[in-house]
Amino acid sequence: MSNQLRTAMAPLVRRVLPLSRRTNSTAAPLVSRLNKHQQASEEIPSKRPVPQPNSANKGPASRVTTLANGVRVATEDSQGHFAALGVYVDAGSRYEDEYTRGVSHILDRLAFKSTKNRTSEAMMADLEAAGGNVMCSSSRESIMYQSALLPQDLPKMLAIMADTIRNPVVTKDELEEQQVSAGHEIQEYWSKPEMILPELLHTVAYKDNTLGNPLLCPMENLEAMTTENVKTYINTWYRPERIVVSAVGADHDGVVELTEKLFGDMKTSSSESNQDTDTSAASKEDSKSGIFKSLFGKSKSSSPTVLTPDFNALSRQPAKYTGGTLLIEDDTQPFTHLFVGFEGLSIHDEDIYALATLQLLMGGGSSFSAGGPGKGMYSRLFSNVLNHYNWIESCMSFNHCYSDSGLFGISGSCYPGYESMLLEVIVRELELTTRTGRGGILQGELDRAKNQLRSSVLMNLESKMVQLEDLGRQVQVHGYKVPVEELCAKIENVTQQDMVRVARRVFGGQVGLMTGGSGEVTIVGQGLTKSLEGAENVLQKYGLGKTAKW
């Protein structure tokens, strides 16, 4: 379910710069101008019946088998000329500590290199012989090894994946090569606000814990990383009970037999055998760690000692939303970029379907990129924002879902000098979704958003690779796969009352009542940001945040 929702909610954006600057009158007060344009979202509710999920269109049934050592095998039968195979490890940046920060970023680059059974040249030769496409990627909560291939090559590819997962050599030369490559990637990210600001948003929202750990390896950690750091991380987190083998278009019993042969002898590590990490050195660090320390890592003078991560503490540590503000003054940027976010919902929350619908209803994109029907041109942020304010370059909603928390909000960019107005526009659009009267969510736009969400989910699942990742990640998180018919039915059951209730729950900082989060807003900006200081006052003005009263 997590991948279905994330894929469905990811907006298709084309970065197209305006050809000219149009004149813009700012004489009228912004609030009155916003009120004037609310009629753009008021429409006649559709009276046409909404199509219901058809039992004849049921997706392929999934099967899950758990081996004696805890490795889970999940498969779906699917017609086609090729199959998809993946191995998913419950690891990632949220499980890193001060001494392993950035390892998961480098680890996915070290996949399919030399192992105890193959040289790097032999590995490449075997991959070419197997055919198909192969990749490894890491996220905050998973490291994924995936391949699209011909069905008859599945046993060979699973053997290769098992070898690179269980028997990596991680030579010094291989590590140094990937350190150089990762360094260029990190520099590119930091040069593009639209790429680095979502990362900073997480760092601010979950300061010094779990989901706030950077996906990109901090430069100082990158330079100091050794092969022992990587091997220690693998030995700590690559455990059979944290591994899911997933296949689409393959026989379930055959995949189970192969997995038993390749992963069945992995030993389940006893939790009692993990000794507590010596954190005495870390306790002597300056308590004022700050945002940028977690991003850039420790100083070069830090000790190179490799400490074993505290598995018990890190694996059980819940995400703690803190909120906060980070404004980066940078007059070299052509636009000022702004993110306004709140703690969202985890993928286990029943309200996640309403929140996913809300994200699609708000939609958004870049200026002059509306496209045609079905591409978001009727979403609220297009109708109420991009179509009315020529000084706004982009405005779109975002929704990041994780196993125990999430982030929801709106990002935007504008020409320098309009920063405070952009903030007003963003907060105003968030506040409108909490209304039950004028400017609130209408039945017609709700039906349209639900139809778009369902169709996006179903169309994406036509891809075997999306189907594969969806299966593997759902089994990793839930232990089973939510049938697509059930998912579509839950989307269809979302009502206007649900939308208002969930909007008030998120934008009122009430999610923290269940998760222990602070309920504060998270604000991140880059560009000419001096006018954004004290942005929390704007949210209070519109009745959002912890002080909200509905």
Side-chain angles (χ1 to χ4, degrees), residues 57-63 75-79 248 461 467 471 481 483-485:
N57 296 327
K58 288 185 177 181
S62 59
R63 295 179 61 185
T75 66
E76 279 186 354
D77 190 14
S78 179
Q79 300 298 320
V248 172
L461 286 177
Q467 185 182 357
L471 174 64
K481 179 181 178 180
V484 67
E485 308 82 51

Side-chain angles (χ1 to χ4, degrees), residues 85 118 154-164 262:
L85 174 69
R118 293 175 172 89
L154 190 146
K156 188 182 302 181
M157 184 60 73
L158 186 55
I160 293 174
M161 289 184 176
D163 197 21
T164 197
L262 297 169

Side-chain angles (χ1 to χ4, degrees), residues 40 43 59 77 120 146 157 263 269 297 302 342 433 478 485 519:
E43 54 192 79
D77 190 14
S120 58
Q146 300 177 122
M157 184 60 73
F263 292 93
S269 302
S302 60
F342 293 84
T433 63
H478 298 296
E485 308 82 51

Side-chain angles (χ1 to χ4, degrees), residues 464-477:
K464 269 195 172 67
M465 294 305 292
V466 173
Q467 185 182 357
L468 172 75
E469 185 175 339
D470 178 62
L471 174 64
R473 290 289 289 128
Q474 283 204 49
V475 172
Q476 189 177 57
V477 174

